[in-house]
Amino acid sequence: MASMDHSQTFVTPRDVRLAARSGALVGSTAGMANGFVQVNLVIMPEEQANGFLRFCQANPKPCPVLAVSEPGARHCDLLGEDLDIARDVPSYRIYRDGEFDSTLTDVSAVWRDDLVTFALGCSFSFEHALLQNGVPVRHIEEGRNVPMYKTSIPLRRAGGFSGNMVVSMRPFRAAAAIRAVQITTRFPQTHGAPVHLGDPSLIGIKNLGSPDYGDAVSVAPDEIPVFWACGVTPQQVLMDSGIGFAITHTPGHMLVTDIPESQVALL
Amino acid sequence: MASMDHSQTFVTPRDVRLAARSGALVGSTAGMANGFVQVNLVIMPEEQANGFLRFCQANPKPCPVLAVSEPGARHCDLLGEDLDIARDVPSYRIYRDGEFDSTLTDVSAVWRDDLVTFALGCSFSFEHALLQNGVPVRHIEEGRNVPMYKTSIPLRRAGGFSGNMVVSMRPFRAAAAIRAVQITTRFPQTHGAPVHLGDPSLIGIKNLGSPDYGDAVSVAPDEIPVFWACGVTPQQVLMDSGIGFAITHTPGHMLVTDIPESQVALL
């Protein structure tokens, strides 16, 4: 992947942000600035944002809020210095009238003074912790994006938003699955412990080989699929709600913050 | 069960011990003196005990050592005051030449000055924590002993002892299984996190309906069997080793200590 070529170059979070800002980086941020929290971005007009914040508070596993900007602000001190929300993500998605509209590498031209930005925790943080603890992560081994699935798990309705959870899946042998529960429990702000393991049909997933987002990965007969709440959930919810205008990051193309991963670990 | 009739009466650990000492209590200690640690006992001559301690240190999940007595001592200050190792357990098992010999309610008559007592953590402690956290425990719901199985999981050879792990099994729906991993992780001195979950055949268990110790329990189609290292492991290991003389508690008939469960929780 193109991102892998850059991972040695962009060592600090600011390196990554400046590369995205200049247009030099338009690919995935996976593996970059290791040890620092990367976040999902969800950006929408203040009129919907107040309700969306209540929705996130009601559904903290898929939508763990690390920071909320002031309306119109393109900076966010909680996330980092020298940070431009409208330019520092390598790839953005624009939604109009509840549908995906276009992909942009810079959203300065569509920025509005009423836009509120939500920074939501991302599983990249706990994947780094899994690897550091010797727990292999299949989609990383196979050089793919993590497989993500729509489920039948209902979210709590709040602030005018509702829908079902989107989950990411990582397969493990049993001992590693148990270890993965322990490790990810330490990261409640980046989706925390799994929401399901075992039979996918119990949460409405018909075929592990056909993810709704990301790529399929191989699952061995002695492995158990383990499912985590996923930061793509709000993108699905925004579309389902028919929101008039919203911006998100492109999955895998995250905002890299100055927050050390150790700071979002419980233990 | 007879033990249930006593559970209201024997509120403190000392109440339970005195009842066992007097012969009034000969049944299971399940549910008694809630909030205090109950322990597995393994008692053997000093000649084998030094090696057995190394074996326990090498296999802490099935054999978590809470206390080791001095040779010949029938008291153990770490476990409680007014405590007689030879009389305070409701039911003991005597092993001779590697085979189960007899059951006694008082081992004073067979006590020897060279006997060393090992107190090993017991899953009763974490079961209490599971229930307190709203995680149902099937064998308790069904009024049975926990099902236990011999496995193909090899133990680390040490001190002249070896063998395979014995595990206990509790079935849960996925969300409760994940919660159970979290809760039991807090109790490393009482077997800690599970050693396996899912397909029993992967650890050498052919039929969940035919446990090697304890009682079978029902497992629903949407449930996952979860397996913990079990304190019956050393009894199996002692028999396999052909030990000349040893005493253990009868499974489920534990020594109740003065140690609060909160004291053996990590968090």
Side-chain angles (χ1 to χ4, degrees), chain A residues 85-126:
Chain A
I85 291 169
R87 294 189 293 165
D88 288 1
V89 168
S91 178
Y92 299 84
R93 286 188 168 181
I94 309 297
Y95 297 87
R96 293 186 194 277
D97 299 323
E99 294 192 0
F100 170 70
D101 179 81
S102 55
T103 297
L104 295 174
T105 58
D106 179 333
V107 293
S108 303
V110 295
W111 195 260
R112 295 161 35 167
D113 285 346
D114 65 343
L115 290 180
V116 173
T117 299
F118 295 84
L120 308 179
C122 160
S123 57
F124 281 2
S125 297
F126 74 62

Side-chain angles (χ1 to χ4, degrees), chain A residues 174 178 181-182 185 193-194 196-197 224, chain B residues 174 178 182 185 193-194 196-197 224:
Chain A
I178 291 164
V181 171
Q182 295 178 309
T185 295
H196 184 64
L197 50 77
I224 296 167
Chain B
I178 291 163
Q182 295 179 308
T185 294
H196 184 66
L197 50 77
I224 295 167

